Every structure is written in structure tokens, then in C-alpha cells.
């Protein structure tokens, strides 16, 4: 161990002089300056870290906002697509309904035409039947007359 009275614990050695009050003050000022410099460095580092965190937060918020806007845009496009598809479907339905109505009208017209044609045919048949009946009756009466003449 060191001599007494020294940091080593031994007795004071006369060859090593003790620092003067001025030396201690200078050393304390140097230590104080180093402490302040480290404090400034630490404060600057903290400030830089805060600024970096703020920039990262802004970038994170920007990415979130961009993702949200992209999702909203996609949702709007999807909704527009759905609305367009629904509109197209409604137009197809309307076209189909119009085509069905046209077919129904055409079928009704054809039924009327066929019915009218049947009516004309039925009337002709009735007229022919009536004419045939008169002709038969006339021929029947002429046949009777000829038989009667033969018999006389």
C-alpha cells in the first residue's frame, strides 16, 4: 500500500507534493467542463432521438394514411363496380322483360290470327255443308223424281 495520508493509505511521502487549492480548482473546473460537455452531448443526442422518433412517427402516419386512402379508393372502386354491375343487370332485366313482353304480344297476335283463320275455315265448312245439304237434298229429290218416273 501507499504511504500514510495518501490514497494508498500510508504515511505522506515528502517527495510527492499535495495539490494546491488552485490546482484542485483547475481540475474541478476541467471536470465540470467535461461533465457539462457530456451533458450537452447527451441533450443533443436526446434531441436528435426525439427528432428521429418524430420523423418516424410522421412517416408511419403517412403510410397509415396512404393505406387508408388506398383502401377507401379500392372500396369506392368496388362500390362503383358493384353499382355498375347492378345497373348492367337492371338493364339486362329490363331488356329481357321487354323481349318477353314482345314475345307475349306476338304470341297473342298469332293466336288471334289462328283463331280468325279457324273462324273463317269453320264458316266456310258450315257454308259448304249447308250448300252440300241443299245440293244433296236437290239431288235426293231429283233421284226420287227419277225413281218415281221409272215406277210409273
Amino acid at each position: 500500500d501507499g504511504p500514510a495520508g495518501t490514497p494508498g493509505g500510508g504515511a505522506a511521502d515528502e517527495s510527492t507534493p499535495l495539490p494546491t487549492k488552485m490546482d484542485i480548482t483547475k481540475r474541478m473546473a476541467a471536470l465540470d467542463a467535461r461533465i457539462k460537455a457530456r451533458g450537452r452531448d447527451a441533450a443533443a443526442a436526446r434531441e436528435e432521438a426525439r427528432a428521429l422518433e418524430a420523423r418516424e412517427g410522421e412517416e408511419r402516419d403517412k403510410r397509415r394514411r396512404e393505406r387508408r386512402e388506398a383502401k377507401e379508393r379500392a372500396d369506392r372502386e368496388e362500390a362503383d363496380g358493384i353499382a355498375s354491375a347492378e345497373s348492367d343487370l337492371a338493364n339486362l332485366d329490363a331488356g329481357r322483360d321487354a323481349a318477353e313482353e314482345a314475345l307475349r304480344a306476338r304470341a297473342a297476335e298469332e293466336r288471334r290470327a289462328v283463331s280468325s283463320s279457324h273462324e273463317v275455315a269453320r264458316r266456310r265448312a258450315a257454308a259448304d255443308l249447308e250448300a252440300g245439304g241443299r245440293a244433296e237434298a236437290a239431288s235426293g229429290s231429283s233421284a226420287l223424281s227419277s225413281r218415281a218416273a221409272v215406277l210409273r
Side-chain angles (χ1 to χ4, degrees), residues 64-144:
R64 285 180 184 160
R65 187 175 50 253
E66 288 171 350
R67 280 194 302 268
R68 186 183 70 243
E69 289 170 356
K71 183 180 182 318
E72 289 171 355
R73 194 170 37 255
D75 289 347
R76 275 193 309 273
E77 288 172 359
E78 181 180 357
D80 290 347
I82 290 171
S84 176
E86 288 174 346
S87 173
D88 291 347
L89 184 59
N91 289 337
L92 288 173
D93 286 345
R96 185 196 65 223
D97 292 346
E100 287 176 353
E101 185 60 33
L103 284 173
R104 279 194 289 275
R106 185 173 170 194
E109 183 63 33
E110 287 177 2
R111 279 194 301 272
R112 279 191 294 276
V114 167
S115 176
S116 174
S117 149
H118 284 321
E119 182 63 27
V120 167
R122 191 170 45 83
R123 285 183 186 165
R124 279 187 191 151
D128 289 347
L129 188 61
E130 188 177 313
R134 275 189 248 132
E136 193 176 294
S139 74
S141 93
S142 66
L144 282 176

Side-chain angles (χ1 to χ4, degrees), residues 16-37:
T16 308
L18 291 174
T20 63
K21 189 174 185 180
M22 184 57 88
D23 289 336
I24 292 173
T25 304
K26 284 181 186 177
R27 287 182 186 164
M28 285 179 64
L31 286 173
D32 194 37
R34 283 185 12 209
I35 289 171
K36 286 182 182 178

